[in-house]
Amino acid sequence: GDSVTQMEGPVTLSEEAFLTINCTYTATGYPSLFWYVQYPGEGLQLLLKATKADDKGSNKGFEATYRKETTSFHLEKGSVQVSDSAVYFCALSDPFNDYKLSFGAGTTVTVRA
Amino acid sequence: GAVVSQHPSRVICKSGTSVKIECRSLDFQATTMFWYRQFPKQSLMLMATSNEGSKATYEQGVEKDKFLINHASLTLSTLTVTSAHPEDSSFYICSARIPLLAGYNEQFFGPGTRLTVL
């Protein structure tokens, strides 16, 4: 079945530090890959996505590249801000599973001023 | 575009009562909506898939008589937690899926409903 494994947190960084959150996946078909962000007390917001191998998703300074050979979709940001403090979820949508979303466990990121 | 709302955002109820949560797609028609449950500091667990005009499909281990789902229109799905108990306290999140385009799929999430059962 489909599964997503992402780096366990929590992760604590200083402002302007480099952030990487690792994410690997297992899927039956050729999935689309997503990173969602959840701020305290809120629902999920789509941060970025990639629909096929070698695609790079980017938004708000965050980037992730769909690597089929390593089944990975690592999230990176070169210089984090306090406002980036949130929980980040890696997810996949598999056409062989009716496009249902499978989520990783989530990584809590705290950025200190 | 692609905004999903949920109502209420928070609800506190007594044990044994029923609670209804609404999920609306505000600017698009959603033939499929999903209901998730999230426990503190955990990931989202898919509870059921709601299809307009038909019965919901529940994930393994989710009691369909406990969590009643109705998708009466293309913009509204409701989740009713029947005879709620403290262990049903959780954060419930819905999402709506845009119609599939060339195999591409994206879900848009509501802001969530915090249910507390006393």
Side-chain angles (χ1 to χ4, degrees):
Chain A
D2 298 338
S3 67
V4 178
T5 303
Q6 66 181 96
M7 188 174 79
E8 290 188 19
V11 175
T12 302
L13 302 165
S14 298
E15 237 178 351
E16 299 183 3
F18 184 85
L19 170 68
T20 299
I21 305 176
N22 290 339
C23 172
T24 57
Y25 67 90
T26 303
T28 305
Y30 300 96
S32 296
L33 301 174
F34 305 86
W35 276 101
Y36 285 90
V37 59
Q38 184 179 34
Y39 298 101
E42 299 183 11
L44 271 66
Q45 299 176 27
L46 177 65
L47 181 60
L48 54 83
K49 62 183 183 283
T51 58
K52 61 184 186 297
D54 300 324
D55 270 2
K56 177 186 282 188
S58 61
N59 185 27
K60 299 181 180 180
F62 290 89
E63 292 183 342
T65 301
Y66 190 142
R67 300 287 187 198
K68 185 179 176 183
E69 64 275 14
T70 55
T71 61
S72 65
F73 194 54
H74 305 321
L75 182 68
E76 297 181 337
K77 184 173 185 179
S79 178
V80 294
Q81 305 299 314
V82 172
S83 57
D84 294 324
S85 298
V87 182
Y88 293 82
F89 292 95
C90 185
L92 70 83
S93 171
D94 189 344
F96 279 71
N97 191 23
D98 196 28
Y99 295 97
K100 294 179 183 177
L101 280 172
S102 297
F103 287 90
T107 302
T108 300
V109 174
T110 302
V111 180
R112 295 177 177 169
Chain B
V3 177
V4 177
S5 70
Q6 277 184 247
H7 179 79
S9 58
R10 292 176 180 271
V11 58
I12 301 172
C13 68
K14 293 182 179 180
S15 187
T17 61
S18 294
V19 174
K20 180 183 286 188
I21 303 170
E22 293 185 349
C23 177
R24 293 181 185 272
S25 58
L26 298 185
D27 50 4
F28 66 101
Q29 294 183 331
T31 54
T32 304
M33 290 184 173
F34 301 89
W35 287 96
Y36 297 85
R37 184 174 181 177
Q38 185 181 31
F39 292 101
K41 300 186 186 299
Q42 294 189 26
S43 189
L44 279 72
M45 180 192 79
L46 179 64
M47 299 175 66
T49 303
S50 169
N51 292 298
E52 188 267 337
S54 64
K55 291 184 178 180
T57 303
Y58 291 81
E59 296 299 304
Q60 193 172 6
V62 178
E63 299 176 61
K64 61 180 181 180
D65 295 330
K66 174 76 171 173
F67 299 99
L68 299 179
I69 292 172
N70 185 292
H71 194 155
S73 77
L74 288 171
T75 59
L76 173 65
S77 176
T78 60
L79 168 68
T80 301
V81 183
T82 62
S83 187
H85 288 92
E87 57 266 29
D88 298 324
S89 298
S90 192
F91 195 51
Y92 292 88
I93 303 175
C94 74
S95 71
R97 186 167 75 185
I98 59 173
L100 294 177
L101 297 173
Y104 175 66
N105 161 67
E106 184 172 341
Q107 294 182 26
F108 297 90
F109 286 82
T113 297
R114 174 74 60 192
L115 170 63
T116 303
V117 184
L118 302 177

